């Protein structure tokens, strides 16, 4: 007689075999997120079984967080499993400490997503299942999430890196995965933290959901449907935001006027949409309402700066335009950095670094830089230069205004000096006396801006 577990295993295999080809085209490269737990082991085994029929190219990624004392054992288990199945494995070692302020669970999730984004593949396959979906929806509701958060996890989604995430097991229960693993005689590891119900998800899993199942045994399916309803509502709200933002979102900025001409609810929806499109952490409801109030009520010449996401991000308003940027670190205005031509240089005031290109007949004359030591400095006030031959000397203050450099960046820009002469402010102006002549070796200085240099 065929066992119940074997029947469940065959049912799961058939379900995945039917649904996956519609999500994963033949010949796709698929990276499996492999923790070593039963969920990811089952996913890896299923995809390995189905891959030859669709010419899928499988690989796996294990993220070593170093949180557990057993982390090395888990990494070794994953390596052994992948070697047995002849599946390439990459183990990514990450440091969770810089992100601990976000909470261990969220920090670990962020690091995993970064690790996935750095890999080369068409799809990232994750082992989330119906129980995970139900837990995620309840957690989001208990946190007061909006419809986007309550939409929980889609079967197919896109990452900002361009990768696509697929969740082949989203409609399977944890019990079905255990039945499959048992019937296939699979081994897996147990993360001891899964038993710690001080974590919100584990509290739901071990203490609340078993009670809920007594009265509502089909809660997984019903909560999954609710998540789908929220996903559809979120899509409609995004469509409304796109209508409201027509002509108002440009170069990653938003015009305040677009927030002023719609109802309060639509303004909040538009602001959420704008932040989401930039990949920002979503502010809590009270933070978002305060942010919107400050953006709408500030005087035209007011310097509005609103910190959110543990002060790691800023929303600023300037000349009727909303800018969003990662918070910049403090800097020492008096610092002077010596420089040798050809040497790349980090610039902490803008969280960036310089790169160089060597040219002929344009840029800074390399010969004219030999007259005195070269240093990089920050603006202190009173600087001036002559941007064109036979033109008057201009103050740097006026040049920055003319080039519409955003006010909060003006004191952070790098200034190159040759001795005590101001040579240039890359991206803004160069003193004509240092310009390369025709056929003379020149130098162009570039630096990638992590935030927007000029206003619209």
């Amino acid at each position: 007689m065929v066992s119940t577990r074997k029947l469940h295993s065959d049912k799961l295999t058939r379900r995945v075999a039917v649904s996956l080809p519609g999500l994963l085209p033949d010949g796709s490269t698929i990276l499996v997120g492999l923790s070593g737990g039963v969920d990811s082991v089952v996913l890896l085994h299923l995809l390995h079984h189905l891959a030859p029929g669709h010419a899928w190219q499988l690989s796996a990624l294990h993220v070593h967080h170093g949180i557990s004392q057993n982390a090395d054992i888990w990494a070794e288990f994953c390596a052994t499993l992948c070697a047995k199945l002849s599946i390439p494995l990459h183990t990514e070692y990450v440091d969770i400490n810089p992100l601990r302020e976000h909470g261990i669970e969220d920090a670990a999730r962020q690091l995993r997503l970064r690790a996935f984004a750095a890999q080369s593949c068409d799809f990232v396959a994750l082992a989330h299942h119906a129980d995970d979906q139900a837990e995620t929806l309840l957690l989001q509701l208990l946190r007061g999430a909006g419809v986007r958060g309550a939409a929980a996890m889609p079967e197919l989604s896109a990452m900002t890196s361009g990768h696509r995430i697929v969740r082949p097991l989203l409609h399977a229960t944890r019990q079905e995965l255990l039945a499959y693993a048992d019937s296939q005689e699979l081994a897996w590891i147990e993360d001891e933290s899964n038993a710690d119900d001080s974590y919100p998800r584990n509290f739901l899993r071990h203490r609340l959901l078993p009670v809920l199942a007594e009265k509502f045994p089909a809660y997984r399916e019903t909560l999954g449907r609710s998540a789908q309803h929220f996903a559809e509502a979120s899509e409609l709200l995004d469509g409304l935001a796109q209508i409201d933002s027509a002509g108002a979102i440009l170069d990653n900025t938003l015009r305040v006027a677009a927030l002023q001409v719609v109802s309060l609810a639509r303004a909040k929806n538009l602001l959420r949409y704008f932040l989401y499109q930039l990949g920002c952490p979503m502010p809590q409801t009270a933070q978002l309402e305060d942010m919107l109030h400050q953006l709408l009520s500030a005087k035209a010449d007011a310097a509005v700066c609103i910190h959110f996401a543990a002060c790691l991000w800023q929303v600023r308003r300037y000349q009727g335009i909303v800018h969003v940027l990662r918070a910049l670190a403090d800097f020492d205005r008096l610092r002077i950095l010596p420089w040798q031509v050809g040497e790349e240089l980090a610039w902490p005031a803008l969280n960036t670094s310089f790169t160089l290109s060597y040219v002929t007949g344009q840029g800074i004359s390399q010969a004219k830089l030999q007259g005195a030591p070269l240093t990089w400095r920050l603006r202190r006030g009173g600087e001036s230069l002559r941007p064109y031959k036979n033109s008057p000397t201009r103050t740097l203050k006026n040049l920055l205004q003319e080039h519409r450099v955003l006010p909060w960046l003006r004191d952070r820009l790098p200034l190159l000096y040759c001795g005590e002469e101001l040579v240039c402010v890359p991206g803004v102006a160069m003193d004509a006396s240092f310009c390369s002549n025709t056929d003379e070796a020149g130098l162009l200085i570039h630096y990638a801006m992590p935030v927007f240099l000029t206003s619209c």
Side-chain angles (χ1 to χ4, degrees):
M1 176 178 275
V2 180
S3 69
T4 302
R5 287 187 179 273
K6 183 63 169 64
L7 289 174
H8 281 305
S9 171
D10 292 343
K11 181 180 177 182
L12 178 62
T13 302
R14 288 194 300 271
R15 184 191 304 163
V16 174
V18 169
S19 65
L20 266 192
L23 300 172
L24 301 173
D26 288 357
S28 297
T29 55
I30 306 170
L31 176 72
V32 181
L34 182 64
S35 67
V38 63
D39 306 341
S40 62
V41 168
V42 166
L43 176 60
L44 186 72
H45 190 270
L46 271 170
L47 290 177
H48 178 258
H49 172 69
L50 297 172
H54 300 280
W56 292 332
Q57 301 174 51
L58 295 185
S59 62
L61 172 69
H62 175 76
V63 180
H64 186 296
H65 300 99
I67 301 172
S68 169
Q69 61 183 2
N70 297 313
D72 291 338
I73 297 174
W74 300 345
E76 183 178 349
F77 170 85
C78 292
T80 301
L81 173 61
C82 288
K84 180 180 178 181
L85 297 176
S86 298
I87 295 174
L89 171 72
H90 173 68
T91 300
E92 182 80 8
Y93 291 83
V94 299
D95 181 9
I96 202 170
N97 289 318
L99 296 176
R100 276 185 179 270
E101 62 186 29
H102 300 288
I104 291 179
E105 288 180 293
D106 188 58
R109 183 185 66 82
Q110 289 186 45
L111 290 170
R112 285 195 298 272
L113 289 175
R114 291 180 191 176
F116 292 139
Q119 304 302 309
S120 177
C121 63
D122 297 323
F123 293 89
V124 174
L126 303 180
H128 297 124
H129 48 72
D131 293 72
D132 292 326
Q133 183 77 298
E135 293 162 6
T136 299
L137 174 58
L138 288 175
L139 283 172
Q140 292 288 63
L141 292 175
L142 290 169
R143 291 167 180 160
V147 292
R148 189 186 302 279
M153 299 177 290
E155 195 170 22
L156 186 66
S157 59
M159 299 175 65
T160 54
S161 60
H163 295 70
R164 284 167 290 177
I165 293 177
V166 62
R167 297 179 173 88
L169 306 178
L170 202 56
H171 301 293
T173 66
R174 183 177 286 111
Q175 285 303 315
E176 287 178 301
L177 302 190
L178 289 169
Y180 180 94
D182 183 63
S183 69
Q184 300 294 326
E185 298 183 347
L186 302 180
W188 64 88
I189 59 173
E190 292 287 353
D191 183 344
E192 68 276 3
S193 70
N194 288 336
D196 183 358
D197 62 14
S198 65
Y199 292 107
R201 184 177 293 274
N202 290 341
F203 177 83
L204 292 180
R205 180 179 302 170
H206 299 304
R207 300 180 63 177
L208 178 61
L209 291 177
V211 176
L212 192 64
E214 294 175 8
K215 185 68 175 178
F216 304 99
Y219 74 86
R220 298 172 185 84
E221 292 80 5
T222 55
L223 290 179
R225 286 199 302 272
S226 293
Q228 182 60 38
H229 296 326
F230 283 121
E232 292 172 358
S234 179
E235 186 177 344
L236 292 173
L237 288 174
D238 281 352
L240 179 62
Q242 290 171 11
I243 294 171
D244 290 339
S245 67
I249 294 181
L250 181 66
D251 294 332
N252 295 325
T253 64
L254 171 66
R255 296 188 180 280
V256 174
L259 299 170
Q260 295 171 327
V261 297
V262 295
S263 68
L264 179 60
R266 288 175 68 164
K268 287 195 290 186
N269 181 58
L270 176 54
L271 185 55
R272 285 194 199 95
Y273 174 80
F274 173 62
L275 296 174
Y276 180 76
Q277 293 300 308
L278 293 177
C280 304
M282 199 55 55
Q284 296 181 355
T285 300
Q287 289 179 312
L288 186 83
E289 291 177 349
D290 178 64
M291 186 183 297
L292 182 62
H293 173 72
Q294 292 194 52
L295 291 173
L296 293 178
S297 62
K299 295 180 180 179
D301 59 349
V304 177
C305 177
I306 306 147
H307 296 268
F308 69 105
C311 293
L312 298 176
W313 287 77
Q314 297 174 350
V315 166
R316 290 180 178 266
R317 171 180 166 165
Y318 176 64
Q319 294 184 346
I321 304 294
V322 181
H323 301 261
V324 181
L325 59 149
R326 290 184 180 273
L328 295 169
D330 292 335
F331 64 96
D332 179 5
R333 178 173 290 189
L334 300 180
R335 188 178 186 188
I336 298 176
L337 296 177
W339 188 58
Q340 298 293 327
V341 172
E343 178 183 63
E344 290 196 13
L345 186 70
W347 192 251
L350 287 174
N351 297 334
T352 190
S353 59
F354 303 116
T355 57
L356 310 172
S357 58
Y358 296 93
V359 293
T360 301
Q362 60 176 310
I364 307 171
S365 166
Q366 293 187 47
K368 293 171 183 174
L369 293 179
Q370 307 302 316
L374 300 177
T375 56
W376 288 100
R377 308 180 189 181
L378 286 152
R379 183 178 171 221
R380 300 181 188 179
E383 297 87 356
S384 63
L385 50 74
R386 185 164 53 91
Y388 306 105
K389 290 181 179 179
N390 302 319
S391 70
T393 298
R394 302 283 304 281
T395 66
L396 180 56
K397 178 180 179 180
N398 287 338
L399 287 169
L400 294 175
Q401 292 173 343
E402 184 178 289
H403 283 75
R404 306 185 72 184
V405 176
L406 297 170
W408 53 90
L409 299 180
R410 294 174 186 173
D411 289 341
R412 294 176 175 270
L413 296 182
L415 279 60
L416 177 61
Y417 278 81
C418 183
E420 293 303 313
E421 292 186 82
L422 177 58
V423 176
C424 71
V425 182
V428 178
M430 177 173 61
D431 192 280
S433 64
F434 285 90
C435 288
S436 295
N437 297 319
T438 304
D439 297 330
E440 185 179 11
L443 182 70
L444 296 178
I445 301 173
H446 317 272
Y447 57 101
M449 289 292 293
V451 292
F452 317 113
L453 178 61
T454 58
S455 59
C456 299

